[in-house]
Amino acid sequence: MFDGISDDAEDVVGVLTERIEARFGMDMGQLKAAVGAAPTANPDATDVVKWHGLLVEAQSVLDRAEDDLVAALQTQPSEVDDPTMGLAHRVNAAVAVRDGRAMVVRWLLDPDAPGKKDLAAERLARLRSRTGPTVQTTVPHRPAGTAAPASAWRSARVAR
């Protein structure tokens, strides 16, 4: 009953693994080693390796959940009991997690994905390379006798 699900899911992991390897020009073992040796050298590779690992982990959880469900279903009479139904819910949750992680990997691999070309993505890319705060964290000191900008005075008057 569930044999096709695992095969299809492994194909999804396999296809995404192949896409990652093609994108970075090395197999996953080499890519993991490169990211481990220099995690900040290529943030895209680091993100892909992280999420691929989470995807593989989610696939393992799903495989175990499916195996448990199949074993329980084989012992059931015509009606499914509550514990077996709980196993079915566990499989559904594992599928959702695996599919969500696969979507993230696909998004990371797609240079034209929504959100990657907009201003926020460009700002994020610039901020990744910075190490310190990006905005001033204290109020600037204004020497005594210096008036506040007129725009600040007008907005304070309007607020009254």
Side-chain angles (χ1 to χ4, degrees), residues 1-18:
M1 176 173 169
F2 288 96
D3 293 336
I5 294 174
S6 291
D7 293 341
D8 292 342
E10 289 170 13
D11 288 342
V12 168
V13 173
V15 166
L16 289 174
T17 300
E18 289 174 10

Side-chain angles (χ1 to χ4, degrees), residues 22-151:
R23 162 99 185 272
F24 293 98
M26 57 182 78
D27 68 36
M28 282 305 298
Q30 293 170 322
L31 186 58
K32 287 178 189 176
V35 165
T40 59
N42 185 336
D44 291 339
T46 301
D47 289 345
V48 166
V49 166
K50 171 190 169 189
W51 281 97
H52 181 268
L54 293 171
L55 173 62
V56 169
E57 177 186 306
Q59 183 60 52
S60 288
V61 169
L62 175 57
D63 291 343
R64 285 190 303 275
E66 286 178 337
D67 291 345
D68 292 347
L69 178 58
V70 168
L73 288 171
Q74 290 173 345
T75 64
Q76 293 291 304
S78 60
E79 290 198 23
V80 176
D81 62 11
D82 287 341
T84 304
M85 194 55 120
L87 291 172
H89 290 301
R90 197 173 103 202
V91 168
N92 286 338
V95 167
V97 169
R98 192 269 329 272
D99 289 351
R101 291 176 180 180
M103 288 172 51
V104 171
V105 171
R106 276 189 221 107
W107 185 86
L108 290 169
L109 291 172
D110 182 359
D112 298 320
K116 285 198 168 181
K117 301 255 181 187
D118 65 6
L119 183 59
E122 289 175 25
R123 286 181 183 158
L124 180 62
R126 284 194 306 265
L127 291 176
R128 275 187 172 163
S129 64
R130 295 184 183 174
T131 57
T134 58
V135 294
Q136 189 170 351
T137 57
T138 60
V139 177
H141 174 63
R142 187 178 336 215
T146 305
S151 60

